[in-house]
Amino acid sequence: MIDTIPWILLPLGGFIALTAAIGVLRFPDFYSRLHPAGTGDTLAQLLVLLGLLPLVTAWEDGAKLVMVTVLLFVTTPTATHAISQAAHLEGLRPWTRKEESDG
Amino acid sequence: MRAFALFLALFTFWVCLSGQTDSTFLMGIGLACCGFTAWLCTRLEIVGDEGQPTRGLLSFLVYIPWLVWQVVLANIDVVRRVWSPTSTSIDPRLFELETELRHPVARTLYANSITLTPGTVTVRCEEGHFIVHALTEGAERALLGGDMEQRIRQMEEASR
């Protein structure tokens, strides 16, 4: 039973990461592209690391995987916030549906 | 007390990274280093409410599973929109989000939680409000509903 968990979680994590890449390509502007990139940062890495947990034998390795998850959950939103604030300060205006119908 | 909590956290971190629990010499070195670091931090006066918000820790541990669940739900929504064959499924907007949170740790946690849930990104943090970019109207309404802020405010009050 425990052997099947990685086989479910790892491909699922890969699928989410692929979705993040496709989302970055498909979405219209800088701000909206942050959102699918965020799915890659959060759910994809969570699924991959959870999927790896049953595979490790030493407890230190498991603890390291958990630490990587915690670190990424703290740092990625900070980085996302930093670049979006930089864009906002530069005066980049977000793409909206109204502008599309105007032009 | 806070310095001791810092020491415990450092030592746990060190043990997890090294894993050499059978070597007395290495464990001793680790203990000494963590003790020294905690002492240095006390001398630098960076041990405090902002660096070690220990009092809200318990409610924080309750908050984490809820946040992870919200992240999963929001992710499913964004994934659906990425794969939707028409490009009409997103309606991005910037909006102002009022917040009554004052404590810097609570504000950071709130802003980071918003960014962590896909569909919403905190663009700016200003006094009394955030500027948030939302991918859809639903994501905006979920934040304006204030459920997340409510939970963090309870944590802020518990840590007082």
Side-chain angles (χ1 to χ4, degrees):
Chain A
M1 164 55 197
I2 200 137
D3 295 337
T4 58
I5 292 175
W7 290 101
I8 300 165
L9 293 186
L10 290 179
L12 202 58
F15 171 74
I16 304 286
L18 177 70
T19 307
I22 291 174
V24 169
L25 292 174
R26 280 197 71 190
F27 280 4
D29 78 328
F30 171 78
Y31 292 107
S32 51
R33 280 173 179 167
L34 291 171
H35 301 288
T39 68
D41 292 339
T42 56
L43 194 60
Q45 66 99 355
L46 189 69
L47 286 172
V48 168
L49 292 177
L50 279 183
L52 287 174
L53 266 184
L55 293 175
V56 299
T57 44
W59 67 269
E60 308 98 87
D61 298 343
K64 277 171 205 166
L65 285 179
V66 173
M67 269 192 251
V68 169
T69 309
V70 172
L71 185 74
L72 283 174
F73 263 83
V74 177
T75 52
T76 52
T78 313
T80 307
H81 168 66
I83 55 172
S84 61
Q85 169 161 286
H88 189 71
L89 287 175
E90 280 292 308
L92 182 66
R93 288 167 53 81
W95 177 91
T96 54
R97 202 146 281 289
K98 211 165 73 199
E99 274 171 35
E100 187 193 44
S101 54
D102 286 348
Chain B
M1 177 54 209
R2 285 224 165 85
F4 186 68
L6 174 65
F7 168 74
L8 273 187
L10 282 172
F11 191 63
T12 315
F13 185 61
W14 187 85
V15 168
C16 287
L17 285 188
S18 87
Q20 308 266 4
T21 42
D22 47 351
S23 161
T24 326
F25 172 69
L26 286 176
M27 289 299 275
I29 296 258
L31 271 173
C33 285
C34 297
F36 184 62
T37 311
W39 176 71
L40 274 186
C41 289
T42 323
R43 265 184 67 91
L44 284 167
E45 293 174 358
I46 53 174
V47 177
D49 194 35
E50 200 173 328
Q52 286 87 27
T54 39
R55 275 176 299 182
L57 200 63
L58 217 70
S59 40
F60 183 63
L61 291 179
V62 179
Y63 176 72
I64 290 284
W66 178 82
L67 178 65
V68 170
W69 180 238
Q70 294 300 308
V71 167
V72 170
L73 288 182
N75 263 303
I76 293 169
D77 184 56
V78 173
V79 167
R80 243 196 17 244
R81 286 175 199 283
V82 168
W83 288 101
S84 83
T86 56
S87 62
T88 52
S89 62
I90 62 165
D91 187 7
R93 74 266 320 281
L94 274 182
F95 67 98
E96 276 193 15
L97 180 65
E98 301 286 329
T99 171
E100 291 168 16
L101 298 172
R102 285 289 166 270
H103 194 288
V105 177
R107 283 167 57 90
T108 310
L109 183 65
Y110 190 30
N112 263 8
S113 302
I114 292 171
T115 308
L116 208 49
T117 33
T120 48
V121 165
T122 315
V123 176
R124 296 221 52 187
C125 295
E126 282 159 5
E127 201 58 47
H129 68 276
F130 295 156
I131 296 177
V132 178
H133 185 265
L135 199 56
T136 59
E137 202 190 337
E140 177 186 352
R141 251 187 284 118
L143 266 186
L144 289 175
D147 191 21
M148 186 183 274
E149 188 187 8
Q150 191 61 40
R151 281 165 194 271
I152 295 175
R153 192 182 309 142
Q154 280 166 5
M155 216 182 305
E156 191 187 27
E157 277 159 12
S159 70
R160 249 179 218 141

